[in-house]
Amino acid sequence: MVVQDSVDAPGVPLEPFLHQVGGHLSVMKYDEHTVCKPLISQEQRFYESLPLAMKRFTPQYKGTITVHLRKDSRGRLSLVATPLTENRGPFTVSTESAAVAIWQTLQQSPGGGALPLAQWQHPQRAHSLTESPATALLRSELHLKAQVPSLVEDVNGNLTEKGSFNPWGLRCHQAHLHRLCAEYPENQRHRFLLLENVVSQYKHPCILDLKMGTRQHGDDASEEKKARHMRKCAQSTSAHLGMRICGMQVYQSDKKHFLCKDKYYGRKLSVEGFRQALYQFLHDGTRFRTELLEPIQRQLQALLSVIRSQSSYRFYSSSLLIIYDGQETPQTPHGSNVIKVDVRMIDFAHTTYKGSWNEHTTYDGPDPGYIFGLENLIQILQGIHEGQ
């Protein structure tokens, strides 16, 4: 599909996505139901050729969109995603310009402080926008020049960051912006993938990000990168369980905040520490959410069945999200609760399969490392279930 941008259309200001719990590139919020991330061709082709059976377990692919910077008469930059000329199918964007815009705006404001968010929104849109949580957070965190804290925790849970949002996404955002400012010219246009915001239906989304498989490097990795990733796997639960925690947030109903942990915490966990972390993910600070175990296990079993049927696929470095709502649902008139949980695969930049454009090696059968991880995850949850 040929994508054409409308020159006169008002731009859509992008915001950091506040529920990003893992990864290293900044994920941006396009609207309430859509997020965007830098376009990587291999990942785009995966979504475009996605097997039907896997669509239930991946975010909906919405296409791409162009993102670019605009400078006003005072030299201040804004990050703008340009809609398509017509409402014909999916949108089309790139994250790199977004990051540059926000970061350069902060750097160019008088006295080195950040400008109010409205000043780096598109002028035709700013007056009509209500202040979202991300906007409010940017006002407090960036306008006041507060540093986004690092979520480094040891296996004993020390130095846990407590707040109403997960700071990992903003940390990634700032780091990404530093790099983008050094590498890209101001007027560079970029493409971003547009994907379903899989947590948009949750009031207090509790998210566990698991890096799946016993191998994390892609077929095209350099020897140095390959060795680095193999070392991380060997020194973590990736080798023993086929998965490791890449990030998590769990809503604590007693204190009204999210308990957040990051990938550095996950790398240090033993097998028993992983089990305890999984237990903590399902605990709201007051009680263990036993009612979540059965629906999560059902979805994992269904995903396992799908993965076993995907011959030649290798999901290197991909993640699995487990999601539920920290806001408990009220009982129905019949006395039962509607339990909503979700299991989604994300991050396919290094996924390979027979016929993929940059296929280095053709593999036979389903992904053994991913299956190993899923089987262990189901077994650990079953053990927790039986202990309740």
Side-chain angles (χ1 to χ4, degrees), residues 1 3 38-50 61 63-64 92 191-193 348-349 353 357:
M1 178 183 73
V3 177
L39 188 153
I40 298 173
S41 296
Q42 188 168 343
E43 184 168 33
Q44 182 185 21
R45 288 184 173 93
F46 170 82
Y47 277 112
E48 290 177 343
S49 62
L50 187 66
Y61 171 59
T64 64
T92 311
R191 292 287 188 187
F192 276 35
L193 290 178
F348 303 104
Y353 48 94
W357 71 281

Side-chain angles (χ1 to χ4, degrees), residues 161-174:
E161 174 64 24
K162 299 176 180 179
S164 60
F165 64 95
N166 192 323
W168 183 258
L170 287 179
R171 173 179 173 169
C172 293
H173 190 64
Q174 287 186 329

Side-chain angles (χ1 to χ4, degrees), residues 114-272:
L115 296 167
L117 184 64
Q119 293 184 341
W120 36 274
Q121 290 169 342
H122 187 281
Q124 298 179 26
R125 297 291 299 274
H127 69 279
S128 64
L129 292 173
T130 57
E131 188 169 84
S132 68
T135 302
L137 179 60
L138 283 167
R139 287 186 185 279
S140 62
E141 291 294 324
L142 301 181
H143 184 60
L144 299 178
K145 297 190 72 176
Q147 293 298 310
V148 177
S150 174
L151 292 180
V152 179
E153 297 189 5
D154 61 23
V155 293
N156 297 315
N158 297 323
L159 302 178
T160 300
E161 174 64 24
K162 299 176 180 179
S164 60
F165 64 95
N166 192 323
W168 183 258
L170 287 179
R171 173 179 173 169
C172 293
H173 190 64
Q174 287 186 329
H176 197 195
L177 293 180
H178 275 292
R179 182 180 67 82
L180 293 173
C181 289
E183 295 181 9
Y184 293 94
E186 169 192 319
N187 295 322
Q188 179 81 29
R189 287 179 176 265
H190 303 274
R191 292 287 188 187
F192 276 35
L193 290 178
L194 284 178
L195 299 169
E196 173 192 2
N197 175 3
V198 296
V199 304
S200 63
Q201 300 178 42
Y202 299 87
K203 182 173 178 61
H204 298 303
C206 299
I207 308 166
L208 178 65
D209 185 332
L210 297 173
K211 185 75 74 174
M212 298 299 293
T214 53
R215 167 181 160 176
Q216 301 302 326
H217 60 277
D219 287 335
D220 58 346
S222 65
E223 288 302 314
E224 185 276 331
K225 187 173 183 179
K226 178 180 177 180
R228 188 171 71 249
H229 282 283
M230 291 177 67
R231 186 167 57 250
K232 289 178 184 177
C233 288
Q235 296 173 351
S236 69
T237 56
S238 292
H240 303 288
L241 296 176
M243 59 185 162
R244 70 172 181 263
I245 291 176
C246 194
M248 100 178 182
Q249 66 178 37
V250 53
Y251 187 69
Q252 304 293 277
S253 60
D254 55 339
K255 297 183 175 63
K256 310 299 181 188
H257 67 230
F258 283 106
L259 174 67
C260 305
K261 301 193 178 187
D262 66 9
K263 65 181 182 181
Y264 302 110
Y265 166 85
R267 287 179 192 171
K268 296 178 181 179
L269 292 177
S270 64
V271 171
E272 175 58 23

